[in-house]
Amino acid sequence: MTQTPVPVRRALISVSDKTGLLDLARALVAHGAEILSTGGSAKALREAGLPVTEVSDHTGFPEILDGRVKTLVPQIHGGILGRRDLPAHLAQMQAHGIAPIDLVAVNLYPFEATVTSGAGPEDCIENIDIGGPALIRAAAKNHDHVAVLTDPAQYPAIIDALAAGGTTLAARRALAGAAYARTAAYDSAIATWFAAQRGDVLPDRLTVAGLRRESLRYGENPHQHAAFYADGSTRPGVATARQVQGKSLSYNNLNDTDAAFEAVAEFDGPAVVIVKHANPCGVATADTLAAAWDLALRCDPVSAFGGIVALNRTLDAEAASRIAAIFTEVIVAPDATDEARAILAKKKNLRLLLTGAMPDPAEGGVTIRSVAGGFLAQTRDNGRIAPADLKIVTARAPTEAEMADLIFAFRVGKHVKSNAIVYAKGQATAGIGAGQMSRVDSARIAAVKGAEAAKAAGLDQPLTTGSVVASDAFFPFADGLEAAIAAGATAVIQPGGSIRDDEVIAAADRAGIAMVFTGMRHFRH
């Protein structure tokens, strides 16, 4: 095993991304290295006046099959894989005229970008790199003697190493690990695309790859390590957002911001969602963002302190001024006016994220959660209900206003941890009960929240008086419904499906309230 720095006497360069190419090549030439290259890379080097040898000239074998076969020849792979510490390898290389290659710089055909662009199957398949992964894997395997570069960000360190006499084993080993991670992610993207082509959302072998965007200070708690990874998805959200101001986001900030932004995307009109510990504590839609903020904040002003605020419209100055009046950790929106940015700039620690667009709540996808020994995968909860989907099960039907609030409350409930109960009135939440083991407890907690919020707002009656109530799953007993009725609810929306549905319906009829079944559950854990 080579412990001393290995000088680079011959390098193979074949890159689709030309970033930093000339700087790397100039450093190689300056330190006496011969450069082998192909196609566009060789052309770029020649145009820059740098000496370069075409791979086909080096091997004596021409590129064939429209360039599909360029480097898949013994003179190249033998030069990469041959062990310099084994006399037998060296003898065979000499016998067959194979020159050692000490550095391989390859980045792959842009398969992921081609898929993202919406290209057809033929273009996607043509952008599956074959020779590139083979070169990378060969160089990584023989990292005792060969350095492999797969990312332009790695070039500066190698340029410094060349000036110091060559690459170290530690550096080559780190580059090898990064190389295998890159080819694994590349193959994962290809496998995912093929699965999507055949409509297989959850294939027999599911591969997941991510690129570390940021190392976080810690995880949910200070004793936990954490990092933020992007998976290449173009879905607007925390991974695609641009941070305009504020300190670095924490693990909990990112988790809560994602929850808030996905929730606010559910609504068509100007909407505001305030989230604390991944649960909405206030949600509203109104004619303006400022009005929606006031209504959302009224629902639970105590929990909103230090919360995450998501909006589904361009943040304007009026809304920004009102939000900035209380301590807020993060604001996320598709955009913000210059006036709004100037207002928020006075809050140095407040993070402002701009996504450029809203996610589609009806879009498909897969969510993953780890368990001991594996992980659970499921399709995204993209279920949505409309008035036509509802079954009226009580003697009284909901009024038009109640129906609108029922739809609103059920959409909010989809984003509240189970067991979830949401009271709403006038397109604003009036009380939210989240994460309780008993549904009746969630109903009671939400009612208490509504009463406390009304007191804080100087109102004579609890916010839940005259409200509607949504339950993310069926009422297993009538007690949860009765708690909602006692809180002042006049209409109920729930999935239905309990063996005691008749008892629950009878309780609703005795109280003279309306109830509708959705046939769709929204558990969230």
Side-chain angles (χ1 to χ4, degrees), residues 378-385 410 413-416 418-420 439 471-475 493-498 517-525:
Q378 65 174 348
T379 56
R380 184 194 308 277
D381 183 1
N382 61 352
R384 308 187 88 203
I385 53 100
F410 199 65
K414 172 181 171 181
H415 294 271
V416 177
S418 302
N419 288 307
R439 190 160 298 278
S471 176
D472 65 333
F474 63 65
F475 287 101
I493 186 169
Q494 59 137 321
S498 168
F517 284 0
T518 65
M520 179 181 292
R521 189 179 73 185
H522 282 308
F523 268 169
R524 188 177 182 86
H525 298 108

Side-chain angles (χ1 to χ4, degrees), residues 72 98 211 214 349:
L72 296 169
I98 296 174
L211 180 64
E214 185 178 359
N349 289 332

Side-chain angles (χ1 to χ4, degrees), residues 379-507:
T379 56
R380 184 194 308 277
D381 183 1
N382 61 352
R384 308 187 88 203
I385 53 100
D389 302 317
L390 303 179
K391 179 182 179 182
I392 300 170
V393 295
T394 48
R396 183 173 82 78
T399 65
E400 184 177 346
E402 286 174 331
M403 183 64 79
D405 281 341
L406 288 170
I407 297 293
F408 169 84
F410 199 65
R411 287 186 178 177
V412 175
K414 172 181 171 181
H415 294 271
V416 177
K417 297 294 180 71
S418 302
N419 288 307
I421 294 291
V422 177
Y423 295 94
K425 184 178 181 180
Q427 297 294 287
T429 52
I432 298 174
Q436 298 304 302
M437 291 69 75
S438 169
R439 190 160 298 278
V440 65
D441 285 344
S442 287
R444 290 167 179 162
I445 289 171
V448 169
K449 287 283 190 180
E452 292 176 345
K455 184 178 179 180
L459 302 177
D460 295 332
Q461 293 182 316
L463 296 184
T464 54
T465 302
S467 68
V468 305
V469 65
S471 176
D472 65 333
F474 63 65
F475 287 101
F477 302 95
D479 57 357
L481 175 66
E482 289 164 348
I485 293 169
T490 62
V492 182
I493 186 169
Q494 59 137 321
S498 168
I499 60 173
R500 295 182 179 85
D501 274 349
D502 289 344
E503 296 176 23
V504 176
I505 293 169

Side-chain angles (χ1 to χ4, degrees), residues 113-499:
T114 303
V115 172
T116 299
S117 73
E122 184 175 348
D123 285 341
C124 290
I125 290 170
E126 281 304 312
N127 275 279
I128 295 176
D129 204 328
I130 302 301
L135 292 170
I136 290 170
R137 290 174 61 84
K141 178 172 181 174
N142 203 24
H143 65 268
D144 278 352
H145 310 283
V146 182
V148 57
L149 305 178
T150 54
D151 188 330
Q154 298 165 336
Y155 298 172
I158 287 295
I159 291 172
D160 291 342
L162 293 172
T167 61
T168 64
L169 177 60
R172 294 193 301 275
R173 184 164 289 168
L175 290 169
Y180 282 121
R182 176 65 188 109
T183 57
Y186 194 72
D187 286 341
S188 176
I190 295 168
T192 299
W193 179 79
F194 271 103
Q197 291 299 296
R198 61 179 185 270
D200 193 353
V201 179
L202 299 171
D204 289 342
R205 187 179 294 275
L206 180 62
T207 59
V208 179
L211 180 64
R212 189 175 66 194
R213 284 272 302 274
E214 185 178 359
S215 293
L216 306 176
R217 283 197 302 149
Y218 53 80
E220 277 188 286
N221 302 292
H223 64 279
Q224 294 174 269
H225 301 290
F228 179 33
Y229 290 84
D231 65 4
S233 168
T234 57
R235 183 175 179 83
V238 292
T240 62
R242 176 170 60 94
Q243 184 170 349
V244 175
Q245 70 168 66
K247 57 186 179 180
S248 296
L249 292 155
S250 70
Y251 179 99
N252 292 326
N253 291 152
L254 289 163
N255 188 53
D256 288 354
T257 302
D258 178 68
F261 200 56
E262 289 290 337
V264 82
E266 294 282 353
F267 306 103
D268 299 325
V272 171
V273 172
I274 308 171
V275 159
K276 196 72 169 288
H277 293 297
N279 273 307
C281 59
V283 182
T285 65
D287 291 336
T288 66
L289 289 177
W293 163 257
D294 288 344
L295 292 170
L297 179 63
R298 186 182 69 173
C299 179
D300 191 350
V302 174
S303 297
F305 184 83
I308 309 295
V309 178
L311 310 98
N312 65 352
R313 295 286 193 280
T314 296
L315 177 63
D316 56 45
E318 185 178 4
S321 295
R322 298 190 188 190
I323 297 170
I326 73 166
F327 171 53
T328 300
E329 289 273 8
V330 181
I331 298 174
V332 59
D335 204 351
T337 65
D338 290 341
E339 294 80 6
R341 295 188 201 189
I343 291 166
L344 298 180
K346 300 172 185 177
K347 302 285 186 178
K348 301 299 182 183
N349 289 332
L350 186 152
R351 295 89 155 180
L352 175 61
L353 302 183
L354 303 180
T355 64
M358 294 299 300
D360 179 1
E363 183 182 3
V366 173
T367 63
I368 292 173
R369 174 171 294 182
S370 64
V371 297
F375 56 84
L376 298 171
Q378 65 174 348
T379 56
R380 184 194 308 277
D381 183 1
N382 61 352
R384 308 187 88 203
I385 53 100
D389 302 317
L390 303 179
K391 179 182 179 182
I392 300 170
V393 295
T394 48
R396 183 173 82 78
T399 65
E400 184 177 346
E402 286 174 331
M403 183 64 79
D405 281 341
L406 288 170
I407 297 293
F408 169 84
F410 199 65
R411 287 186 178 177
V412 175
K414 172 181 171 181
H415 294 271
V416 177
K417 297 294 180 71
S418 302
N419 288 307
I421 294 291
V422 177
Y423 295 94
K425 184 178 181 180
Q427 297 294 287
T429 52
I432 298 174
Q436 298 304 302
M437 291 69 75
S438 169
R439 190 160 298 278
V440 65
D441 285 344
S442 287
R444 290 167 179 162
I445 289 171
V448 169
K449 287 283 190 180
E452 292 176 345
K455 184 178 179 180
L459 302 177
D460 295 332
Q461 293 182 316
L463 296 184
T464 54
T465 302
S467 68
V468 305
V469 65
S471 176
D472 65 333
F474 63 65
F475 287 101
F477 302 95
D479 57 357
L481 175 66
E482 289 164 348
I485 293 169
T490 62
V492 182
I493 186 169
Q494 59 137 321
S498 168
I499 60 173

